[in-house]
Amino acid sequence: MTAFAFDNSYARELPGLYVPFRPVAVPAPRLLYFNRELALELGLDDAALAGAQGAEIFAGNALPDGAEPLAQAYAGHQFGGFSPQLGDGRALLLGELIDSHGRRRDIALKGSGRTPFARGGDGKAALGPMLREVLVGEAMYALGIPTTRALAVVATGEPVYREQVLPGAVLTRVAASHLRVGTFEYFAARGELDSLRRLADYAIARHDPALAGSADRPLGLLRAVAQRQAELVAQWMNVGFIHGVMNTDNTTISGETIDYGPCAFIEAYDPATVFSSIDQGGRYAFGNQPQIARWNLARLAEALLPLLADVDDVPAAERAVAQVTEVIDAFPALYRAALLRGQRAKLGLRDGDAADDAADGALADDWLALLHRERVDFTLAWRRLAAAAAGDASALRALFVEPSAPDAWLVRWRARCAAEDAAADDAAADGATVDEAGGAAATGSGAPPALARARRMREVNPYVIARNHRVEEALAAASDEGDLAPFERLLAALRRPFDENDAQAPYAEPAPAEVTAGYRTFCGT
C-alpha cells in the first residue's frame, strides 16, 4: 500500500468531537482525475496513486496505513435558520499530512457513504458536482484565492438517484482544515464548554499559534478569523465569484473557500445576481456576500462568548459582549480595506496613502456602477481596461451598448494614473529608489509607465474564469456521455487564467444573455 505519512491531530486531540466511521466500499472504482502536482506537494507517491491502487484508496475501498477515518460534528445556520446537528453526512476525514512546505493539510473523502450525521441522505455524490469541485477549486487556486483543492475524483460504478439517475463518484478533498464556524456552534449550543474550549485551543494551535497561551486567545481567534474572511470575500468580489450557499457550516476558520456547490461567476455585472436554485430570497446574492460574512462572524462570536466570561458574572459577560461586538463592527472596515487593495491592483494603481483611500474607493465604485448600468461583462471589462492603460480603449468601448459611456470615467482614471506616475518621478528625482517611490515606473524593464501599468493589470485581471456555460458543457459531457475531454480542456484553460491567446479565447467569451438569464446552479446533495 502506498505510504501516507499521516499525523492525525484531530483524531488524537479531540476525542468526542467526531464519530469514527469507515467509508462504504464501491463496486467498480475508476480514477477519472488525479492532481499529480498536489500529490507531490503532499509528499505522496504520484506514480503509484495514478493507477488502480489510487482508485481503490480514493474510492474508500482501501485505507492507507495510518488513516483514521472520522465524521466531524458541526452545526450551522442555513439560510439564517439554525440546524443544531449537521456534521459530515457523506464525508470522512481520512487524516492529516504535513506537506512539503511544512503545512498541516486535511485529506478527506466526499461522497463516501452515509454516516451517523447523514440525516436521511444516501451519503453518495454524483459525478458532475464532484468534477465541478475540481474545476472551480483549481480556477480559484490559479487566481490566487485561498481554497480547498481536489486531489482525486473516482467513478464508483454505481448510480446515484437525484432528480434523475446519475453516475456516482467520490472526491478526495485537501484543506488547511475542515474547521467551520458551525463546528463551534455545535458545542456552544449544547453547552459543552470543555469540548468548546478544546476545539478553540486546537484551532488556535493549528491556525494561529502565536495566540497560544494568551489569556484572551478566543477573542484573538475571532479577530484572526475576521481578518481572513475579510480578505477572502474581498477576493471573491474582485473576481465576480458567487459562493451561493454561505451558511455558517461553509465558513471556514482557515479562511479557505470550501464547498463548491451552487457556486458561479457573474457575467453581466449586477450585485443582485443569484444563480443558486435554493436561494429563493437572494440572501446570498453576489453583493450581499460581505454582509453575510459579517453575520456569520457574529455567530462565531456568540459561540465563543462562554470562553470569554462566565455568564453568571454579569460585568465580565458584558465586557465580553462589548469586546466581540467591537470585532464584528470592525469587519466592514477590514473588508473595505482588503477590497480596495485588490481594486487598486486591478486599476493599475499602487497602494496609495490613506489620504487617497476615499478618492480611489469612489473611482472603483463609479467604475462598478458604470458596468452595472450598462450590463457589461465583469471579467472582460477589467481585462480590457488594461488595454486602455496601454493607450487603446477600443476593445473596452466595444463592450458597452453606448461606446462613449466609459469616456468620462476614463478621464478621471487616467488623471489618477498620471498623478501617481508624476509622484514616482518626483520621488526618484529627490533620490528615493523607484521602489521606495511606489510609482508606476517601477517596471524592472525600463518600459514606459503606461505599458508597465498595462502589464501589471494583466497579471491580476483574469482573461479566463470558470464561465458557467463552459462548466456545464464539460460536466454534461462527462456525466451523460462519459467524455472527459471537454472537462480536461476547460481545466487546462482555467489553470492559466491570465494567458490571453487564441487557445484561451473560446473560454473567455460570455454566454449569450438568454443563457445567463436562465442559468441556475444546484447543491448536488
Side-chain angles (χ1 to χ4, degrees), residues 183-479:
T183 317
F184 290 82
E185 289 183 291
Y186 182 92
F187 298 102
R190 285 162 171 74
E192 297 179 13
L193 297 191
D194 179 66
S195 294
L196 182 65
R197 187 173 292 106
R198 287 191 293 130
L199 175 65
D201 285 343
Y202 176 84
I204 288 165
R206 185 157 179 176
H207 295 298
D208 298 289
L211 297 174
S214 63
D216 63 347
R217 57 189 180 279
L219 183 64
L221 175 63
L222 179 64
R223 290 193 184 105
V225 174
Q227 182 66 57
R228 287 193 286 267
Q229 285 293 321
E231 292 173 359
L232 176 66
V233 175
Q235 287 179 284
W236 290 357
M237 302 300 288
N238 275 331
V239 297
F241 175 73
I242 309 173
H243 186 279
V245 60
M246 284 181 68
N247 297 330
T248 57
D249 54 295
N250 291 329
T251 302
T252 62
I253 300 304
S254 67
E256 285 187 326
T257 314
I258 193 171
D259 198 354
Y260 293 106
C263 62
F265 285 80
I266 59 171
E267 295 203 338
Y269 180 68
D270 183 353
T273 299
V274 176
F275 290 130
S276 171
S277 65
I278 59 176
D279 191 2
Q280 298 296 323
R283 176 181 174 87
Y284 298 141
F286 176 71
N288 288 350
Q289 292 181 131
Q291 294 89 336
I292 292 297
R294 182 188 183 191
W295 192 92
N296 289 347
L297 286 166
R299 307 290 77 76
L300 176 61
E302 290 170 350
L304 291 173
L305 274 174
L307 302 183
L308 292 169
D310 186 334
V311 68
D312 294 327
D313 184 343
V314 175
E318 289 177 345
R319 284 195 300 273
V321 169
Q323 288 174 319
V324 300
T325 300
E326 182 180 357
V327 175
I328 301 307
D329 287 347
F331 180 80
L334 293 177
Y335 163 75
R336 185 65 186 175
L339 183 73
L340 184 58
R341 283 195 298 273
Q343 289 175 329
R344 277 185 170 133
K346 290 173 76 68
L347 289 167
L349 302 173
R350 304 285 185 180
D351 281 342
D353 296 331
D356 297 323
D357 286 357
D360 288 353
L363 187 68
D365 288 345
D366 291 347
W367 167 248
L368 294 177
L370 178 63
L371 300 187
H372 185 198
R373 187 165 59 249
E374 292 278 316
R375 302 288 296 173
V376 177
D377 184 81
F378 181 80
T379 300
L380 288 183
W382 284 106
R383 185 73 181 189
R384 296 305 173 224
L385 190 60
D392 183 3
S394 59
L396 174 63
R397 291 190 176 99
L399 297 175
F400 289 79
V401 175
E402 173 50 61
S404 64
D407 287 356
W409 183 89
L410 286 172
V411 170
R412 292 170 55 200
W413 172 63
R414 285 174 173 143
R416 174 68 177 91
C417 294
E420 181 177 88
D421 295 344
D425 290 343
D426 290 346
D430 289 341
T433 67
V434 176
D435 283 339
E436 288 169 347
T443 68
S445 62
L451 296 182
R453 176 172 285 107
R455 176 184 56 78
R456 293 200 312 272
M457 292 172 70
R458 291 189 186 101
E459 291 173 350
V460 296
N461 290 309
Y463 179 56
V464 172
I465 57 168
R467 296 275 179 185
N468 306 321
H469 65 300
R470 292 298 186 191
V471 171
E472 296 300 338
E473 288 171 359
L475 300 186
S479 186

Side-chain angles (χ1 to χ4, degrees), residues 4-5 35-45 97-100 103-107 151 174:
F4 281 62
N35 191 329
R36 288 179 178 270
E37 173 206 6
L38 181 55
L40 291 171
E41 187 177 284
L42 294 168
L44 300 175
D45 185 341
L97 299 174
I98 307 301
D99 71 11
S100 60
R103 301 172 301 189
R104 182 174 294 275
R105 312 284 288 277
D106 278 3
I107 312 296
L151 176 60
V174 177

